[in-house]
Amino acid sequence: MEKYIDRVQIFANKFGSISYIKAITDGVSAVIPAIIIGSLYTLFGNIQFQPYLDFLESTGIKNYLSIPNNTTMGIISILLTFTVAYNFAHNFKQDGVSAGIISVCSFILLIPFELLESGSKAIPVVWLGAQGMFMAMIVGVITGKLFVVMKEKNMEIKMPENVPPATVRAFSAIIPGFIIITLFLIIHIVLENTPFGTFPQLVSTLIQTPLS
């Protein structure tokens, strides 16, 4: 029995060391505090004790208890796509912050904006929360991988030696960022002309729905 357990542990360790899996695992771990904090506020607003619930309603506190959940779980996909790309790049000794920022830009680019009656455009918040987590992980991994590959191939703007390190990192991310965002823009355009319509709908149809 111990032999089989050892084999399972070896397999689990090898599986967990795969760069893609490790980036997702580390990325999810990084957003756990936000998930727990948001869940706690949801719990505080829904404790099934009628006098307590009546007190929250009468004082208006219940409305305020939903705000932290909206700013944690409500944007969990944005946080996740950043942390996955960050950890992927960081694990390869590359600039994780730049990779994370590019991933967030790419993630939002793939979400179809809605046109309001006022003429303004708005991002559907449904894809920023838990429903967009699969898409966030996919975008984060792809962004992180492409960013690392391009950086390792020196596809970057070189700056003089006397330039501050922060400025060097910023300019070195321009070419990879431009290419990655352009790639996701092409994906966005192509999917608009398919039955799926959008990348979120593609992920929902092919991955989330079968797993649910």
Side-chain angles (χ1 to χ4, degrees):
M1 186 64 180
E2 292 182 359
K3 184 184 297 184
Y4 291 109
I5 294 176
D6 290 339
R7 289 180 179 177
V8 171
Q9 289 178 337
I10 291 172
F11 173 78
N13 291 334
K14 289 183 177 180
F15 184 75
S17 64
I18 297 174
S19 58
Y20 304 100
I21 303 300
K22 191 174 188 308
I24 292 174
T25 303
D26 293 343
V28 172
S29 297
V31 300
I32 285 178
I35 294 174
I36 293 176
I37 292 169
S39 299
L40 285 174
Y41 274 97
T42 300
L43 176 63
F44 295 155
N46 293 277
I47 295 176
Q48 296 305 302
F49 180 59
Q50 198 56 47
Y52 172 76
L53 294 176
D54 292 341
F55 169 75
L56 295 182
E57 290 286 355
S58 62
T59 58
I61 294 176
K62 187 175 178 62
N63 294 330
Y64 292 106
L65 290 178
S66 65
I67 295 175
N69 185 64
N70 294 334
T71 56
T72 52
M73 287 298 298
I75 60 167
I76 200 65
S77 291
I78 293 180
L79 302 178
L80 184 59
T81 198
F82 177 91
T83 57
V84 170
Y86 171 90
N87 281 286
F88 195 106
H90 183 73
N91 290 339
F92 284 88
K93 311 300 182 184
Q94 299 295 342
D95 181 11
V97 173
S98 293
I101 292 173
I102 295 167
S103 184
V104 171
C105 296
S106 301
F107 176 80
I108 295 177
L109 184 153
L110 291 172
I111 299 176
F113 280 54
E114 293 180 347
L115 183 63
L116 304 179
E117 293 182 359
S118 62
S120 303
K121 291 184 178 181
I123 301 175
V125 295
V126 63
W127 298 113
L128 305 183
Q131 193 166 337
M133 288 181 69
F134 277 104
M135 183 175 76
M137 288 186 282
I138 293 170
V139 173
V141 166
I142 293 174
T143 300
K145 176 64 176 180
L146 293 177
F147 186 85
V148 168
V149 169
M150 284 185 275
K151 290 284 286 183
E152 289 179 344
K153 292 183 178 296
N154 293 317
M155 297 174 63
E156 58 185 13
I157 297 174
K158 299 293 185 181
M159 302 295 290
E161 293 184 0
N162 60 341
V163 175
T167 304
V168 173
R169 286 194 299 270
F171 275 85
S172 67
I174 291 177
I175 292 177
F178 179 81
I179 294 173
I180 292 169
I181 290 176
T182 301
L183 172 63
F184 281 112
L185 175 61
I186 293 171
I187 293 173
H188 177 95
I189 295 171
V190 170
L191 287 175
E192 276 191 339
N193 298 284
T194 68
F196 296 107
T198 66
F199 190 79
Q201 191 59 49
L202 172 68
V203 174
S204 177
T205 301
L206 298 183
I207 301 178
Q208 287 181 243
T209 301
L211 291 176
S212 60

